[in-house]
């Protein structure tokens, strides 16, 4: 038999849940605003890239950076939306991993553009770039493996329940 909970415990738990839900809504609204600003900035950078052709490399880096950042914001927003629909918050791990994958790919793309368009790079700096790219590549493979593992384990749980 479960012990009875005090009405004060229940009251405080309900109030904390209300505050938590309000904060999630606030975060979601702020992420939407940030996403809109970043997408607008990316569109503006794309417009300048088309109009101002002499600075193509810098322009394409800025466009890619802005749109991948917007994609990260939208993945985080998706995670906040999942939290509203989930009874158990641990079920929303996968979107965070997806954000990490997007952030890692974003950094990998930026690094590769920096290396290919930097002109003369000192050998030691090039070595650090390549080591960083290797580590990020391994991280991406591990994160993709984690997503595959989560999806398979979720699928197995569904099959066991059925």
């Amino acid at each position: 038999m479960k012990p009875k909970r005090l009405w004060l415990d229940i009251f405080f738990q309900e109030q904390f849940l209300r505050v938590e839900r309000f904060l999630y809504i606030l975060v979601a609204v702020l992420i939407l605003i940030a996403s809109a600003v970043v997408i607008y900035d990316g569109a503006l950078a794309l417009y300048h890239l088309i109009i101002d052709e002499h600075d193509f490399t810098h322009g394409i880096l800025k466009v890619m950076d802005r749109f991948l950042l917007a994609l990260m914001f939208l993945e985080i927003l998706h995670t906040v939306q999942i939290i509203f629909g989930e009874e158990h918050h641990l079920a929303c791990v996968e979107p965070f991993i997806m954000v990490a994958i997007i952030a890692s790919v974003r950094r990998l793309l930026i690094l590769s553009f920096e290396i290919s368009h930097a002109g003369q790079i000192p050998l030691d700096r090039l070595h650090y770039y390549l080591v960083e790219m290797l580590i990020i590549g391994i991280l991406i493979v591990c994160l993709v493996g984690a997503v595959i593992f989560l999806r398979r384990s979720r699928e197995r749980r569904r099959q066991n329940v059925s």
Side-chain angles (χ1 to χ4, degrees), residues 1 16 20 46-47 57 84 87 92 96 118-119 125 136:
M1 186 196 299
F16 282 128
E20 179 187 31
L46 184 62
Y47 172 75
T57 303
F84 281 116
E87 193 171 311
C92 68
F96 282 109
R125 188 171 177 195
I136 291 172

Side-chain angles (χ1 to χ4, degrees), residues 29-43 67 70 73-74:
V29 168
L30 293 174
I31 289 173
L32 277 173
I33 293 169
S35 298
V37 169
V38 169
I39 290 171
Y40 173 76
D41 191 38
F67 287 140
F73 281 158
L74 294 175

Side-chain angles (χ1 to χ4, degrees), residues 7-67:
W7 68 270
L8 193 59
D9 290 344
I10 295 170
F11 173 77
F12 278 123
Q13 184 180 17
E14 288 174 356
Q15 298 312 313
F16 282 128
L17 289 174
R18 283 189 181 129
V19 169
E20 179 187 31
R21 187 159 298 275
F22 170 76
L23 291 175
Y24 277 127
I25 291 170
L26 182 64
V27 166
V29 168
L30 293 174
I31 289 173
L32 277 173
I33 293 169
S35 298
V37 169
V38 169
I39 290 171
Y40 173 76
D41 191 38
L44 198 60
L46 184 62
Y47 172 75
H48 288 297
L49 177 67
I50 293 170
I51 299 301
D52 187 20
E53 293 180 14
H54 73 276
D55 198 11
F56 184 78
T57 303
H58 179 69
I60 199 73
L61 278 173
K62 188 172 182 179
V63 168
M64 284 178 42
D65 182 58
R66 296 305 183 267
F67 287 140

Side-chain angles (χ1 to χ4, degrees), residues 90-137:
L90 291 176
C92 68
V93 172
E94 188 177 328
F96 282 109
I97 296 173
M98 298 303 270
V99 169
I101 291 171
I102 293 168
S104 300
V105 168
R106 176 178 172 249
R107 179 65 185 152
L108 196 63
L109 290 171
I110 298 298
L111 272 174
S112 64
F113 269 107
E114 285 178 2
I115 290 171
S116 64
H117 293 92
Q120 288 288 358
I121 300 175
L123 193 57
D124 59 335
R125 188 171 177 195
L126 179 63
H127 181 267
Y128 289 125
Y129 276 152
L130 294 177
V131 168
E132 184 178 356
M133 289 177 76
L134 175 68
I135 292 170
I136 291 172

